[in-house]
Amino acid sequence: MTIVGSTQGGAVYDRGYRPYEGRRGGRAEARWALWRLTIRRALGLRRSWRQKVMPWTLLGIVTIPAIVNVGVGYLSRDTPASDFRFITYREYVGVSAAMLLFVAVTAPDAVCPDRHDRVLPLIFSRQLTGVDYVLAKVGAIATIVFGFSVIPQLVLFVGQTLVSDNGALDYYLDNDEVLWQVPVAAALLALWYAVIAVALASLTDRRIVGGIALLGLALVTSAIAGVFIGANDGEHSIMFLVNLLALPLALRDVVFLGHLHHSSPLSGSEGAAWFAGIEYAVITVAAFALLFWRYREVDL
Amino acid sequence: MQPMAASGGSFATPAPAPSPSLLRTHELSLVYPGGNTALAGLSVDVPRGAVGLVGANGAGKTTLFRLMLGLLFPTHGAIEVVGRTVASDPIGIRSQLGYMPEHDCLPTDQSAADFVSTFGELAGLPARAARQRASDVLDLVGLDEARFRPIGGFSTGMRQRTKLAQALVADPELLLLDEPTAGLDPVGREEMLALVERLAGFGISVLFATHLLDDVQRVCDHVVMIDGGRLVLAGPIDQLVERTGMVRVEVGGRADAVPALANALTQRGIRVKVLDQHVIDVETTGDGDEVYDAVRDQIADLGLRLYSLSSRHRSLDDLFLQEASRP
């Protein structure tokens, strides 16, 4: 350290350059860092309050049914209405439009600016490959969707356990299967939303286009499925599988019930659950393939 | 810089030397799938320090950077960076390198501190260490007071320094700077060059890609000149410039003074260039003193009048133009 100037009673020091001698991670740490940084950005952490409003408001919205259910359960304790259920654990997985809106906002925000601001060359000048980038980005969005799916369920489960007429232990033992069903169904849903949303967003460098593309795809496939159902005189039809929003709900039913729920537009169609599983796998793999192709190389 | 002593696309002596080269390439070639040749048989051995990588647009500078970062693989030949063969660990090599691109690459909605610490974390530093390093390097590049402001409000000079800071944050062995003075006003350019010069003083090696030879001459010890993917010239700048010094001689006293002097010097193996009927440039390649003596003696022998004699070093521009124009 050298003194570059002095004043009465003080001195200005040029601290120069200090080499870094601490711990330094490799490729795995870089991938984790990208995952962590993407989550931080999506949740608005270390960003202005404006960036925090959207994710945390949506988390609040998706938690409302759980709070209402627990509240009703508490108020109706020891009454004939105590068995009232506003929503079940199965229904609570993937029914919120808020979740779709959240993914439509956060997935493009996770990848579009990197291309738009030409940050990708800098990212790939670190110990990261296109595969690492895709896994970190999809993983981050899937993690948040998973969290936003599971946290309200936890609120519901803990709340119901505490207000149960039969006592907390009985409620827990009667419903402990949801402790694996909810995470598995939420994980399937989170991966589905995340990989499709990120794949669509990777095709553009404009966030709004990426978001509209996801919402548009959901709307169009839903409308097409509606047309098929209409053409089938409202009967259940396997063609409902074209509805990309409804597809993971069929898998959710299988996770919770072992078969499709009777209210599902797919129920009654032979092999519908298998077809749903195959379609899920094919589209997920195709979306990953698109992402790996989009980030296979980058120009400096 | 030494010529490579290897053949067949690999290094003959792969064992690391006590002080490994900054960059060694052997017959390095890259031909894109479309048939466009980006690099053609490039062989150099560049020592550590501040090195200029000079060439016109499309000369192959950025391609060389991509090969160094392991983002591309050569179609022929081998490349070794800071003593490590890129082909053996194309991703791991990046932990030793800091890259500053030419183009704008900054998110406008982030603060400089956030951006630089982000890239510290992506380089594998723990989050807390990355924030501390970001603070240190932003201080070093002169952005200590602006580090919490959004990058969108930065001037071009501040943006360039932010890019430099992100390249420095993980304490690389080698900085790859791609046109760091591009788009800067004279003051900003001077500040950037001073900064690069200062980094070299801290022991950080720098590979400075530019087409501005003045910048290279100002801050670099060595230069590698490429054109059309081929090596034009490489070596220590001092030696290259000194080796190709010139003496400008203005003579008179008779009508054929210049042709006579040129003829006499040429017969003694000295290269000359006649500028007009009174002025002649005499190349002092090699031992300059002998050339001075020869000029003096010939003028005396021919009975010419010496009006002026001034020595001048050729600039790197002169060198580049001369070497690049050779068949």
Side-chain angles (χ1 to χ4, degrees):
Chain A
M1 195 181 296
T2 54
I3 300 176
V4 295
S6 62
T7 58
Q8 200 166 13
V12 178
Y13 289 93
D14 178 2
R15 291 189 295 171
Y17 179 81
R18 287 182 292 178
Y20 176 71
E21 290 165 354
R23 192 171 64 81
R24 192 192 295 265
R27 184 177 168 189
E29 282 78 4
R31 197 188 302 134
W32 276 114
L34 188 59
W35 174 83
R36 192 173 60 242
L37 292 163
T38 305
I39 287 182
R40 203 164 75 192
R41 180 180 174 91
L43 296 179
L45 305 177
R46 290 203 207 150
R47 300 178 79 191
S48 73
W49 64 270
R50 289 188 197 87
Q51 269 85 35
K52 291 182 178 68
V53 170
M54 174 79 169
W56 297 105
T57 302
L58 289 175
L59 179 61
I61 290 171
V62 296
T63 312
I64 287 173
I67 295 169
V68 170
N69 213 47
V70 173
V72 170
Y74 178 75
L75 294 174
S76 63
R77 289 179 77 182
D78 302 323
T79 69
S82 63
D83 286 339
F84 170 79
R85 292 287 176 269
F86 178 67
I87 193 166
T88 67
Y89 292 105
R90 182 187 64 82
E91 292 164 346
Y92 208 176
V93 175
V95 293
S96 177
M99 196 68 75
L100 179 66
L101 190 61
F102 175 77
V103 176
V105 171
T106 52
D109 189 53
V111 292
C112 294
D114 289 345
R115 200 178 286 279
H116 180 267
D117 296 330
R118 302 187 70 185
V119 182
L120 281 178
L122 288 186
I123 292 174
F124 289 114
S125 72
R126 304 302 194 205
Q127 296 184 73
L128 287 163
T129 64
V131 172
D132 297 326
Y133 181 85
V134 168
L135 293 179
K137 292 289 179 178
V138 172
I141 300 299
T143 302
I144 299 172
V145 175
F146 178 81
F148 277 25
S149 299
V150 167
I151 288 170
Q153 298 263 14
L154 274 177
V155 172
L156 181 64
F157 186 81
V158 172
Q160 296 280 45
T161 303
L162 295 176
V163 303
S164 171
D165 284 344
N166 301 327
L169 184 61
D170 282 348
Y171 183 87
Y172 175 84
L173 293 174
D174 288 345
N175 295 278
D176 62 349
E177 70 277 6
V178 301
L179 294 178
W180 70 264
Q181 290 169 339
V182 167
V184 170
L188 286 170
L189 186 85
L191 178 63
W192 177 255
Y193 273 151
V195 73
I196 290 178
V198 176
L200 286 173
S202 75
L203 299 173
T204 175
D205 63 358
R206 295 174 63 87
R207 277 176 278 199
I208 191 157
V209 175
I212 289 172
L214 178 66
L215 296 175
L217 184 70
L219 196 67
V220 168
T221 58
S222 181
I224 292 172
V227 169
F228 281 127
I229 297 292
N232 207 29
D233 296 329
E235 291 296 313
H236 296 174
S237 164
I238 199 155
M239 294 309 291
F240 198 71
L241 281 173
V242 298
N243 185 342
L244 294 183
L245 285 183
L247 182 71
L249 301 185
L251 298 180
R252 172 203 67 182
D253 285 357
V254 173
V255 169
F256 275 90
L257 308 171
H259 55 81
L260 292 172
H261 192 261
H262 63 80
S263 65
S264 169
L266 292 168
S267 71
S269 304
E270 196 173 345
W274 281 106
F275 279 118
I278 291 167
E279 185 182 344
Y280 180 95
V282 168
I283 291 179
T284 302
V285 169
F288 269 116
L290 172 66
L291 282 165
F292 293 145
W293 175 75
R294 283 292 286 164
Y295 296 102
R296 69 196 183 285
E297 63 178 32
V298 63
D299 283 331
L300 292 185
Chain B
M1 293 184 206
Q2 302 299 320
M4 302 298 299
S7 61
S10 61
F11 295 104
T13 52
S19 176
S21 304
L22 192 67
L23 169 66
R24 293 176 77 200
T25 67
H26 174 66
E27 294 292 329
L28 189 68
S29 300
L30 183 89
V31 181
Y32 285 111
N36 183 25
T37 301
L39 287 175
L42 187 72
S43 294
V44 288
D45 187 350
V46 184
R48 288 171 183 263
V51 180
L53 178 62
V54 177
N57 292 333
K61 303 189 295 288
T62 303
T63 299
L64 186 58
F65 276 3
R66 295 184 74 182
L67 288 163
M68 293 174 76
L69 286 163
L71 295 170
L72 276 180
F73 296 96
T75 43
H76 181 73
I79 180 167
E80 189 183 285
V81 180
V82 290
R84 294 170 65 171
T85 306
V86 176
S88 65
D89 188 9
I91 297 169
I93 189 70
R94 297 175 202 162
S95 66
Q96 313 292 320
L97 309 178
Y99 170 59
M100 175 185 172
E102 176 187 4
H103 57 74
D104 212 0
C105 58
L106 304 172
T108 51
D109 62 343
Q110 270 187 287
S111 69
D114 219 16
F115 176 74
V116 175
S117 70
T118 291
F119 278 90
E121 288 187 59
L122 291 181
L125 271 56
R128 181 173 294 192
R131 283 199 297 277
Q132 182 59 51
R133 283 286 302 175
S135 175
D136 288 349
V137 295
L138 285 166
D139 190 19
L140 183 74
V141 301
L143 289 175
D144 48 332
E145 289 183 3
R147 65 178 185 266
F148 294 119
R149 282 168 39 195
I151 294 170
F154 279 12
S155 66
T156 306
M158 293 165 83
R159 285 170 185 244
Q160 290 294 86
R161 279 183 274 164
T162 306
K163 282 157 58 177
L164 180 60
Q166 69 75 31
L168 268 174
V169 67
D171 187 25
E173 274 189 65
L174 168 61
L175 272 178
L176 305 177
L177 308 181
D178 200 352
E179 305 277 3
T181 57
L184 296 178
D185 60 28
V187 175
R189 174 172 167 266
E190 196 55 36
E191 286 173 352
M192 178 56 75
L193 291 175
L195 203 49
V196 173
E197 204 169 20
R198 196 159 169 239
L199 291 173
F202 292 136
I204 300 171
S205 292
V206 175
L207 190 55
F208 186 126
T210 182
H211 59 274
L212 301 173
L213 288 149
D214 285 350
D215 288 359
V216 170
Q217 204 156 355
R218 162 95 156 67
V219 299
C220 297
D221 315 312
H222 291 74
V223 66
V224 176
M225 295 181 179
I226 55 176
D227 187 44
R230 293 178 188 280
L231 181 67
V232 173
L233 195 67
I237 291 176
D238 287 350
Q239 288 180 20
L240 288 174
V241 172
E242 187 178 320
R243 199 179 72 196
T244 56
M246 297 225 287
V247 182
R248 180 157 292 177
V249 185
E250 189 175 358
V251 289
R254 51 193 250 201
D256 64 341
V258 164
L261 179 60
N263 190 37
L265 291 173
T266 303
Q267 283 180 3
R268 295 181 67 159
I270 297 170
R271 293 174 67 177
V272 299
K273 184 178 178 185
V274 176
L275 298 182
D276 60 34
Q277 60 179 349
H278 292 296
V279 183
I280 183 173
D281 272 349
V282 181
E283 198 169 282
T284 62
T285 304
D287 189 346
D289 290 346
E290 283 186 6
V291 174
Y292 281 105
D293 291 346
V295 170
R296 180 200 60 202
D297 293 346
Q298 287 302 326
I299 289 172
D301 291 349
L302 294 168
L304 305 177
R305 286 181 183 165
L306 176 63
Y307 295 138
S308 72
L309 186 146
S310 59
S311 66
R312 62 184 280 265
H313 289 310
R314 272 194 203 174
S315 67
L316 285 175
D317 297 72
D318 298 330
L319 260 179
F320 182 78
L321 290 172
Q322 176 190 306
E323 298 294 329
S325 62
R326 284 188 180 166

